[in-house]
């Protein structure tokens, strides 16, 4: 039987682990991740959209060769789709079969109906199951989209790593999964939940790190293009925009520019592809034209 | 050396206590976690030590600055007990973000940590700077309401329903007249009922009131109404979940936390002290812009209703008020403008500000006294059928009992 890959033993090892999977991390994230792996607590990642929160969980699962179980949150997410559900059609069928066979031992039928055989396992329950490759990575994505009742339910799962099913009893994890929770902060998540986690705020990267990310993620980009793109985006982030572009947008934009055979930025190319970078019409209208040219000139001046 | 390293836990402990005194939610559990994290990461790199404590003691982005400041003060090389400074090499920390010590931290340090004479001096400067420029800044005292006024107000507020209907959520709840079969309950019922029939159980989508974000104008022209409106908003904020209240005149102030106090007079007094632009000028456009940039994505994301309480008399120029109102309208479920000027029969939207905003609001209503609030309630607040009324089933003899 294959034994699970060992967890990294130091903050440096975490950074190397992530780097091996093309994720350029900063020290704050690596430290929080190290602690969460070491002490067996969930990692709570907050940050604006497109800074690479979800990617952390994916990369972690790949690097440790663990199964990735993803729970995408949405408003109204309930137990039936997050943890478990009974397989009602099969249960109904079972009742009919018992009746046809003139089985009258009702307590036994009832016990039978609510056994694991009829249980449909959803992500949270799956994450508690033993896995020969080691405990899986459980990604609870965009938790700010759910509502408060679901957060309250998560408390049990995340503090004791167990789910209680009334008909059966508690389901306890053989080994706690590696939990990563992300939030875009469209609302504040309750402190009771955060208290059980290690917290890391992922900020927009600085120019050096963004350039490193771009080199890893878009190796096809010419050096000059990459530098100018990063310079432009960094300047753009200091503007008063409704939605500031994230790293994901920087990568998309670079790829778009490569697809248009650009090896450097010019005002025409910027205007034509601004929609990849900015997602609100007000922002595009504000930046397009003279403003973009000014930012470009400033970025070139700063980049030398 | 073991003796020096042995001082670390008590330092971490005092550090955590200082942060707690400065207002960070740090319980004993977190303090223990912090000790564990510090032990795990060790002192080899000052930066790692910093981020380890950060991961445990900070749980909101806005606490970062306070933590940063406190860490710098607390684990300064010279402030450390002899020996520890050798253990914590002067390696790269993130560059300091703000030079001045925040007042809360200075107070907390005074109460729980090493005294910082220098810090106290800097605080005074900070407070002086905040009183800036040409704005008419006045901290206002609320006079007590008369007893009769209170009774009147409370009666009216009790009758109030907001002009917002409940919205269906994606959650389901049991309802005998629902529109979806509740399989779990049906199965249980059929087990009890026996072989001949499967009694269906039903459920339907639950509803809940939408989040409400109120932006209340407290400038000079609104002075007469501000107190009453804030009372109304206090009743709203303390009776429902997910209500956020801002005031604006020349600047935007989030007063949600203050309004959650239980006693109305206390709450309003706290707001009066916190809001610095009472009865000053109005810069609606700039305040809306600030709201749009800093708050709207966080507060309006889950289908919130925005209430704009202002007379629309705007002295600001430069910011495109029409565009900012439109942005607000696009970000929320419904934009309701409550305007006290509407009580005048001959009201016509002549002021530039009003003309700029009016095309973008979903609803335009008068709100000049409690009576009009009550009328607003009657006109706009029908309880949606089927959500509040009891089921029409009657127990025989119940009426006589």
């Amino acid at each position: 039987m294959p034994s699970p890959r060992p967890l990294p033993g130091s903050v440096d090892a975490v950074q190397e682990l992530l780097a091996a999977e093309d994720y350029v991390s900063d020290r704050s994230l690596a430290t929080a991740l190290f602690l969460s792996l070491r002490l067996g607590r969930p990692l709570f990642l907050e940050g604006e959209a497109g800074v690479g929160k979800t990617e952390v969980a994916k990369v972690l699962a790949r690097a440790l060769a663990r199964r990735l179980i993803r729970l995408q949150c949405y408003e109204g997410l309930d137990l039936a789709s997050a943890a478990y559900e009974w397989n009602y059609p099969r249960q109904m069928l079972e009742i009919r079969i018992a009746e046809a066979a003139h089985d009258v031992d009702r307590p036994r039928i009832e016990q039978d109906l609510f056994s694991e055989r009829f249980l449909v396992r959803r992500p949270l329950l799956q994450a508690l199951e033993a896995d020969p490759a080691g405990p899986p990575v459980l990604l609870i994505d965009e938790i700010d989209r759910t509502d408060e009742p679901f957060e309250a339910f998560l408390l049990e799962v995340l503090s004791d790593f167990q789910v209680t099913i009334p008909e059966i009893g508690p389901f306890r994890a053989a080994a706690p999964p590696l939990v990563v929770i992300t939030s875009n902060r469209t609302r504040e998540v309750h402190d009771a939940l955060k208290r059980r986690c290690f917290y890391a705020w992922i900020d927009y990267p600085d120019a050096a790190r963004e350039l490193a990310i771009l080199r890893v993620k878009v190796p096809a980009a010419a050096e000059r293009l990459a530098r100018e793109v990063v310079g432009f985006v960094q300047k753009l982030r200091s503007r008063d925009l409704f939605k500031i572009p994230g790293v994901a947008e920087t990568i998309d934009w670079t790829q778009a520019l490569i697809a248009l055979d650009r090896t450097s930025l010019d005002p025409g190319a910027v205007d034509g592809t601004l929609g990849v970078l900015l997602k609100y019409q007000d922002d595009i209208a504000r930046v397009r034209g003279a403003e973009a040219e000014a930012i470009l000139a400033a970025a070139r001046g700063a980049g030398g | 050396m073991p003796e020096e390293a042995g001082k670390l836990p008590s330092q971490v402990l005092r550090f955590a206590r200082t942060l707690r005194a400065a207002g960070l939610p740090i319980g004993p559990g977190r303090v223990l976690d912090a000790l564990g994290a510090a032990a795990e990461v060790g002192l080899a790199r000052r930066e790692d030590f910093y981020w380890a404590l950060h991961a445990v003691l900070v749980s909101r982005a806005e606490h970062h600055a306070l933590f940063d400041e406190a860490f710098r003060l607390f684990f300064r090389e010279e402030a450390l007990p002899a020996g520890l400074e050798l253990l914590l090499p002067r390696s790269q920390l993130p560059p300091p973000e703000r030079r001045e010590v925040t007042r809360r931290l200075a107070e907390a340090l005074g109460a729980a940590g090493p005294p910082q004479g220098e810090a106290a001096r800097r605080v005074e400067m900070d407070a002086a700077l905040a009183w800036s420029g040409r704005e008419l800044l006045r901290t206002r005292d609320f006079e007590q309401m008369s007893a009769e006024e209170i009774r009147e107000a409370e009666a009216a507020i009790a009758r109030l329903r907001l002009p917002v209907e409940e919205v269906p959520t994606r959650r389901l709840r049991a309802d005998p007249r629902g529109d979806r079969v509740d399989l779990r309950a049906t199965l249980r019922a059929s087990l009890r009922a026996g072989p001949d029939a499967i009694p269906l159980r039903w459920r339907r989508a639950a509803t809940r009131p939408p989040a409400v974000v109120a932006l209340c104008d407290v400038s000079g022209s609104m002075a007469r109404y501000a107190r009453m409106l804030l009372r109304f908003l206090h009743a709203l904020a303390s009776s429902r979940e997910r209500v956020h209240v801002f005031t604006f005149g020349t600047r935007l102030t989030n007063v949600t936390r203050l309004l959650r106090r239980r006693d109305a007079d206390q709450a309003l007094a706290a707001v009066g002290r916190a809001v610095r632009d009472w009865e000053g000028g109005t810069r609606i456009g700039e305040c809306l812009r600030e709201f749009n940039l800093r708050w709207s994505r966080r507060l309006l994301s889950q289908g919130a209703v925005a209430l704009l309480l202002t007379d629309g008399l705007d002295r600001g120029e430069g910011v495109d008020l029409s565009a900012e109102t439109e942005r607000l309208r696009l970000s929320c479920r419904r934009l309701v403008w409550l305007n006290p000027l509407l009580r005048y029969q001959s009201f016509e939207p002549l002021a530039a500000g009003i003309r700029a905003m009016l095309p973008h609001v979903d609803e335009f209503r008068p709100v000049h006294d409690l009576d009009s609030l009550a009328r607003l309630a009657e006109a706009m607040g029908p309880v949606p059928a089927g959500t509040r009324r009891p089921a029409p089933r009657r127990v025989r003899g119940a009426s006589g009992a």
Side-chain angles (χ1 to χ4, degrees):
Chain A
M1 206 159 98
S3 63
R5 275 195 209 171
L7 298 177
S10 69
V11 181
D12 288 314
V14 170
Q15 254 182 331
E16 280 161 29
L17 192 77
L18 296 178
E21 291 290 336
D22 292 349
Y23 190 96
V24 184
S25 61
D26 63 5
R27 203 73 187 172
S28 63
L29 171 64
T31 309
L33 180 56
F34 166 70
L35 286 173
S36 113
L37 293 177
R38 187 77 173 202
L39 301 175
R41 296 284 198 83
L43 177 65
F44 193 102
L45 297 176
E46 239 178 4
E48 299 293 333
V51 291
K53 299 182 296 294
T54 304
E55 197 64 19
V56 171
K58 292 184 185 169
V59 163
L60 188 66
R62 271 207 308 276
L64 296 173
R66 304 289 174 88
R67 197 151 74 99
L68 176 68
I69 296 172
R70 178 173 181 163
L71 177 65
Q72 172 65 50
C73 297
Y74 53 85
E75 198 187 331
L77 179 64
D78 57 3
L79 282 185
S81 37
Y84 69 92
E85 194 167 21
W86 292 105
N87 191 341
Y88 306 113
R90 276 195 61 192
Q91 284 177 322
M92 298 264 180
L93 205 62
E94 193 75 8
I95 296 177
R96 287 286 160 230
I97 291 171
E99 282 165 4
H102 299 290
D103 190 340
V104 286
D105 186 0
R106 298 199 75 80
R108 196 191 52 74
I109 297 176
E110 193 161 344
Q111 202 184 0
D112 217 35
L113 279 180
F114 293 104
S115 65
E116 287 193 42
R117 207 151 54 94
F118 295 98
L119 199 61
V120 183
R121 285 151 203 272
R122 303 283 191 213
L124 287 180
L125 205 56
Q126 286 172 17
L128 301 184
E129 285 169 7
D131 191 317
V137 174
L138 172 62
L139 167 62
I140 301 176
D141 211 7
E142 303 191 355
I143 193 171
D144 49 331
R145 285 176 184 266
T146 64
D147 43 15
E148 294 80 5
F150 185 74
E151 268 176 39
F153 165 73
L154 268 186
L155 287 180
E156 185 197 3
V157 180
L158 295 183
S159 51
D160 303 336
F161 295 107
Q162 71 172 30
V163 171
T164 305
I165 302 175
E167 292 88 348
I168 296 182
F171 251 77
R172 194 177 283 275
L178 316 176
V179 185
V180 176
I181 304 174
T182 76
S183 160
N184 284 335
R185 214 158 71 113
T186 58
R187 69 179 175 84
E188 287 299 346
V189 174
H190 201 279
D191 272 335
L193 185 63
K194 285 178 163 178
R195 223 182 54 223
R196 287 162 169 80
C197 309
F198 288 117
Y199 176 88
W201 169 260
I202 304 193
D203 215 339
Y204 296 114
D206 57 12
R209 201 159 72 83
E210 188 154 34
L211 194 59
I213 294 171
L214 214 51
R215 283 196 188 118
V216 169
K217 288 288 180 189
V218 198
E223 181 63 23
R224 177 164 174 213
L225 179 67
R227 278 188 181 285
E228 288 184 351
V229 162
V230 169
F232 187 90
V233 173
Q234 292 275 336
K235 290 272 180 241
L236 194 60
R237 290 204 184 111
S238 63
R239 293 292 198 275
D240 256 0
L241 295 175
F242 188 64
K243 172 72 182 82
I244 297 170
V247 186
E249 276 80 17
T250 311
I251 294 173
D252 286 350
W253 194 38
T254 314
Q255 277 164 346
L257 290 165
I258 293 174
L260 296 171
D261 291 332
R262 301 285 166 163
T263 53
S264 68
L265 279 184
D266 58 79
V270 172
D271 272 2
T273 51
L274 215 47
V276 183
L277 210 51
L278 301 171
K279 304 294 165 68
Y280 284 88
Q281 177 53 32
D282 314 2
D283 288 348
I284 295 178
R286 178 185 287 257
V287 171
R288 174 167 282 162
E291 178 95 0
E293 249 174 89
I295 297 175
L296 188 55
R300 282 209 178 117
Chain B
M1 267 170 266
E3 300 134 54
E4 273 101 29
K7 287 178 187 160
L8 189 66
S10 71
Q11 284 290 100
V12 171
L13 219 69
R14 294 209 313 154
F15 179 59
R17 219 179 298 148
T18 306
L19 286 182
R20 186 197 302 159
L24 263 57
I26 296 170
R30 275 202 199 177
V31 176
L32 286 179
D33 287 347
L35 290 173
E40 229 17 273
V41 171
L43 295 167
R45 283 180 67 163
R46 187 179 168 83
E47 193 192 4
D48 286 358
F49 180 64
Y50 175 97
W51 287 118
L53 291 184
H54 191 281
V56 178
L57 298 175
V58 173
S59 61
R60 287 178 181 219
E62 51 269 36
H63 294 158
H64 170 77
L66 205 64
F67 173 91
D68 182 70
E69 199 73 49
F71 187 91
R72 263 165 232 287
L73 278 176
F74 223 89
F75 295 102
R76 271 190 316 190
E77 281 82 355
E78 57 270 33
L80 287 175
L84 266 186
E85 59 186 291
L86 299 176
L87 293 171
L88 277 180
R90 296 160 200 242
S91 61
Q92 331 78 355
L93 278 187
E97 276 143 49
R98 297 188 316 170
R99 295 305 309 157
E100 77 279 7
V101 179
T102 59
R103 156 161 284 181
R104 276 196 298 160
L105 183 57
E107 284 169 1
L109 280 172
Q116 295 287 329
E118 181 199 1
R121 235 177 303 124
R122 275 194 251 157
V123 168
E124 279 169 37
M125 230 176 61
D126 187 26
L129 273 178
W131 293 83
S132 64
R134 291 166 299 165
E135 290 171 303
L136 174 54
L137 297 177
R138 238 190 280 167
T139 304
R140 215 185 91 140
D141 283 327
F142 278 104
E143 65 271 54
Q144 296 284 312
M145 272 184 150
S146 71
E148 194 192 350
E149 216 181 332
I150 290 178
R151 242 184 300 117
E152 195 184 323
E154 265 151 23
I157 286 169
R159 265 182 282 137
L160 284 185
R161 298 269 184 290
L162 260 198
V164 290
E165 295 196 354
E166 299 215 329
V167 293
T169 67
R170 290 182 43 114
R171 282 186 191 288
L172 301 172
R173 58 182 185 80
D175 181 344
R177 291 170 303 149
D179 51 4
R180 279 170 242 206
V181 175
D182 183 347
L183 284 172
R184 191 168 185 159
T186 299
L187 190 84
R188 296 196 152 277
S190 80
L191 274 177
R192 279 194 299 275
D196 299 325
I198 297 182
L200 290 179
R201 293 283 181 268
W202 299 90
R203 49 187 193 167
R204 73 161 66 236
T207 61
R208 69 168 175 178
V212 172
V213 175
L215 300 165
C216 183
D217 188 341
V218 293
S219 62
S221 57
M222 287 283 288
R224 266 184 292 172
Y225 314 106
R227 191 177 104 180
M228 186 196 68
L229 290 177
L230 279 171
R231 243 198 122 88
F232 165 62
L233 293 173
H234 168 262
L236 193 67
S238 47
S239 68
R240 301 173 36 150
E241 300 278 306
R242 303 197 300 158
V243 176
H244 296 269
V245 181
F246 291 78
T247 62
F248 69 92
T250 50
R251 56 172 67 180
L252 191 69
T253 315
N254 186 349
V255 296
T256 309
R257 222 172 256 274
L258 305 174
L259 281 182
R260 287 210 188 272
R261 299 197 184 185
R262 204 174 299 151
D263 182 76
D265 283 325
Q266 273 182 11
L268 293 205
V271 172
R273 281 192 298 274
V275 175
R276 292 253 173 101
D277 49 352
W278 275 110
E279 300 184 19
T282 327
R283 290 204 288 259
I284 304 180
E286 273 170 48
C287 293
L288 285 188
R289 177 164 175 73
E290 196 191 337
F291 179 83
N292 283 335
L293 287 178
R294 285 186 50 211
W295 295 98
S296 80
R297 236 193 324 263
R298 282 170 63 192
L299 299 183
L300 298 178
S301 62
Q302 295 194 333
V305 171
L307 297 181
L308 193 57
L309 302 102
T310 175
D311 52 13
L313 301 178
D314 181 32
R315 278 166 225 171
E317 53 282 313
V319 173
D320 189 347
L321 181 56
S322 174
E324 295 304 332
T325 316
E326 187 184 10
R327 165 67 21 228
L328 181 63
R329 156 81 193 90
L330 288 173
S331 310
C332 64
R333 171 185 293 272
R334 198 170 169 71
L335 177 59
V336 182
W337 182 357
L338 305 176
N339 187 342
L341 291 186
L342 258 193
R343 73 181 145 142
Y344 301 113
Q345 293 281 311
S346 55
F347 173 82
E348 275 179 60
L350 292 179
I354 298 179
R355 274 204 311 244
M357 291 159 72
L358 202 51
H360 303 296
V361 299
D362 293 312
E363 210 168 291
F364 192 46
R365 297 228 131 233
V367 55
H368 55 278
D369 57 13
L370 283 170
D371 232 28
S372 66
L373 275 178
R375 270 203 300 279
L376 171 80
E378 280 159 30
M380 300 300 304
V383 182
T387 55
R388 284 267 180 265
R389 252 164 261 149
R393 208 186 304 143
R394 247 191 212 157
V395 182
R396 275 179 116 210
S399 57

